[in-house]
mmCIF file of all heavy atoms in Angstrom:
data_model
loop_
_atom_site.group_PDB
_atom_site.id
_atom_site.type_symbol
_atom_site.label_atom_id
_atom_site.label_comp_id
_atom_site.label_asym_id
_atom_site.label_seq_id
_atom_site.Cartn_x
_atom_site.Cartn_y
_atom_site.Cartn_z
ATOM 1 N N ARG Y 539 -23.608 12.636 -1.824
ATOM 2 C CA ARG Y 539 -22.161 12.563 -1.964
ATOM 3 C C ARG Y 539 -21.525 12.854 -0.607
ATOM 4 O O ARG Y 539 -21.379 14.012 -0.225
ATOM 5 C CB ARG Y 539 -21.650 13.534 -3.025
ATOM 6 C CG ARG Y 539 -20.140 13.446 -3.262
ATOM 7 C CD ARG Y 539 -19.730 14.229 -4.478
ATOM 8 N NE ARG Y 539 -20.222 13.610 -5.697
ATOM 9 C CZ ARG Y 539 -19.635 12.594 -6.317
ATOM 10 N NH1 ARG Y 539 -18.544 12.046 -5.796
ATOM 11 N NH2 ARG Y 539 -20.142 12.099 -7.418
ATOM 12 N N VAL Y 557 -17.808 10.958 6.691
ATOM 13 C CA VAL Y 557 -17.098 9.875 7.384
ATOM 14 C C VAL Y 557 -15.662 10.293 7.668
ATOM 15 O O VAL Y 557 -14.939 10.728 6.761
ATOM 16 C CB VAL Y 557 -17.098 8.585 6.534
ATOM 17 C CG1 VAL Y 557 -16.240 7.504 7.192
ATOM 18 C CG2 VAL Y 557 -18.527 8.090 6.316
ATOM 19 N N PRO Y 560 -9.422 7.027 10.086
ATOM 20 C CA PRO Y 560 -8.261 7.171 10.976
ATOM 21 C C PRO Y 560 -6.988 7.526 10.220
ATOM 22 O O PRO Y 560 -6.697 6.975 9.154
ATOM 23 C CB PRO Y 560 -8.153 5.816 11.667
ATOM 24 C CG PRO Y 560 -8.925 4.882 10.820
ATOM 25 C CD PRO Y 560 -10.005 5.676 10.163
ATOM 26 N N LEU Y 577 -1.271 -3.717 18.121
ATOM 27 C CA LEU Y 577 -1.175 -5.121 17.679
ATOM 28 C C LEU Y 577 -1.985 -5.419 16.426
ATOM 29 O O LEU Y 577 -1.906 -6.525 15.898
ATOM 30 C CB LEU Y 577 -1.585 -6.083 18.794
ATOM 31 C CG LEU Y 577 -0.815 -5.930 20.110
ATOM 32 C CD1 LEU Y 577 -1.330 -6.937 21.135
ATOM 33 C CD2 LEU Y 577 0.677 -6.119 19.890
ATOM 34 N N SER Y 625 -20.715 -0.190 27.731
ATOM 35 C CA SER Y 625 -20.351 -1.534 27.290
ATOM 36 C C SER Y 625 -21.634 -2.273 26.953
ATOM 37 O O SER Y 625 -22.727 -1.782 27.225
ATOM 38 C CB SER Y 625 -19.579 -2.265 28.397
ATOM 39 O OG SER Y 625 -20.364 -2.310 29.574
ATOM 40 N N THR Y 661 -23.548 -3.711 0.366
ATOM 41 C CA THR Y 661 -22.432 -4.509 -0.135
ATOM 42 C C THR Y 661 -22.820 -5.253 -1.413
ATOM 43 O O THR Y 661 -23.775 -6.039 -1.401
ATOM 44 C CB THR Y 661 -21.963 -5.520 0.919
ATOM 45 O OG1 THR Y 661 -21.588 -4.814 2.110
ATOM 46 C CG2 THR Y 661 -20.781 -6.333 0.412
ATOM 47 N N GLU Y 680 -35.272 -5.747 4.570
ATOM 48 C CA GLU Y 680 -36.342 -5.428 3.619
ATOM 49 C C GLU Y 680 -36.821 -3.994 3.813
ATOM 50 O O GLU Y 680 -37.129 -3.303 2.830
ATOM 51 C CB GLU Y 680 -37.496 -6.416 3.795
ATOM 52 C CG GLU Y 680 -37.151 -7.823 3.317
ATOM 53 C CD GLU Y 680 -38.199 -8.851 3.688
ATOM 54 O OE1 GLU Y 680 -39.042 -8.561 4.584
ATOM 55 O OE2 GLU Y 680 -38.182 -9.951 3.111
ATOM 56 N N ALA Y 687 -35.112 2.747 -1.640
ATOM 57 C CA ALA Y 687 -35.798 2.907 -2.925
ATOM 58 C C ALA Y 687 -36.658 4.176 -2.906
ATOM 59 O O ALA Y 687 -36.745 4.902 -3.906
ATOM 60 C CB ALA Y 687 -36.666 1.681 -3.214
ATOM 61 N N LEU Y 689 -35.990 6.838 -1.187
ATOM 62 C CA LEU Y 689 -35.115 8.002 -1.141
ATOM 63 C C LEU Y 689 -34.378 8.240 -2.453
ATOM 64 O O LEU Y 689 -33.781 9.308 -2.638
ATOM 65 C CB LEU Y 689 -34.076 7.842 -0.019
ATOM 66 C CG LEU Y 689 -34.602 7.880 1.413
ATOM 67 C CD1 LEU Y 689 -33.478 7.564 2.389
ATOM 68 C CD2 LEU Y 689 -35.235 9.233 1.724
ATOM 69 N N PRO Y 725 -9.219 -4.027 28.933
ATOM 70 C CA PRO Y 725 -10.447 -4.440 29.601
ATOM 71 C C PRO Y 725 -10.253 -4.615 31.103
ATOM 72 O O PRO Y 725 -9.177 -4.904 31.575
ATOM 73 C CB PRO Y 725 -10.768 -5.794 28.941
ATOM 74 C CG PRO Y 725 -9.436 -6.335 28.570
ATOM 75 C CD PRO Y 725 -8.587 -5.145 28.205
ATOM 76 N N ALA Y 767 -8.912 -13.801 18.527
ATOM 77 C CA ALA Y 767 -9.417 -12.577 17.896
ATOM 78 C C ALA Y 767 -10.298 -12.924 16.699
ATOM 79 O O ALA Y 767 -11.327 -12.289 16.463
ATOM 80 C CB ALA Y 767 -8.260 -11.681 17.473
ATOM 81 N N ARG Y 768 -9.901 -13.949 15.942
ATOM 82 C CA ARG Y 768 -10.726 -14.369 14.794
ATOM 83 C C ARG Y 768 -12.051 -14.951 15.259
ATOM 84 O O ARG Y 768 -13.088 -14.737 14.628
ATOM 85 C CB ARG Y 768 -9.969 -15.392 13.947
ATOM 86 C CG ARG Y 768 -8.827 -14.829 13.143
ATOM 87 C CD ARG Y 768 -8.437 -15.755 12.002
ATOM 88 N NE ARG Y 768 -8.045 -17.065 12.464
ATOM 89 C CZ ARG Y 768 -6.804 -17.413 12.793
ATOM 90 N NH1 ARG Y 768 -5.838 -16.512 12.723
ATOM 91 N NH2 ARG Y 768 -6.525 -18.632 13.191
ATOM 92 N N GLU Y 772 -12.761 -9.710 19.092
ATOM 93 C CA GLU Y 772 -12.186 -8.794 20.076
ATOM 94 C C GLU Y 772 -10.901 -8.176 19.556
ATOM 95 O O GLU Y 772 -10.185 -8.793 18.752
ATOM 96 C CB GLU Y 772 -11.883 -9.535 21.387
ATOM 97 C CG GLU Y 772 -13.041 -9.584 22.343
ATOM 98 C CD GLU Y 772 -13.430 -8.203 22.837
ATOM 99 O OE1 GLU Y 772 -12.541 -7.366 23.076
ATOM 100 O OE2 GLU Y 772 -14.637 -7.969 22.977
ATOM 101 N N PHE Y 806 -6.280 -23.749 25.921
ATOM 102 C CA PHE Y 806 -6.156 -22.408 26.494
ATOM 103 C C PHE Y 806 -6.868 -21.383 25.624
ATOM 104 O O PHE Y 806 -7.485 -20.443 26.133
ATOM 105 C CB PHE Y 806 -4.691 -22.009 26.665
ATOM 106 C CG PHE Y 806 -4.532 -20.671 27.322
ATOM 107 C CD1 PHE Y 806 -4.601 -20.558 28.705
ATOM 108 C CD2 PHE Y 806 -4.374 -19.518 26.568
ATOM 109 C CE1 PHE Y 806 -4.496 -19.319 29.319
ATOM 110 C CE2 PHE Y 806 -4.269 -18.277 27.172
ATOM 111 C CZ PHE Y 806 -4.336 -18.180 28.556
#
Side-chain angles (χ1 to χ4, degrees):
R539 183 170 291 278
V557 174
L577 304 180
S625 57
T661 302
E680 290 171 343
L689 292 174
R768 288 199 301 270
E772 272 296 322
F806 183 82

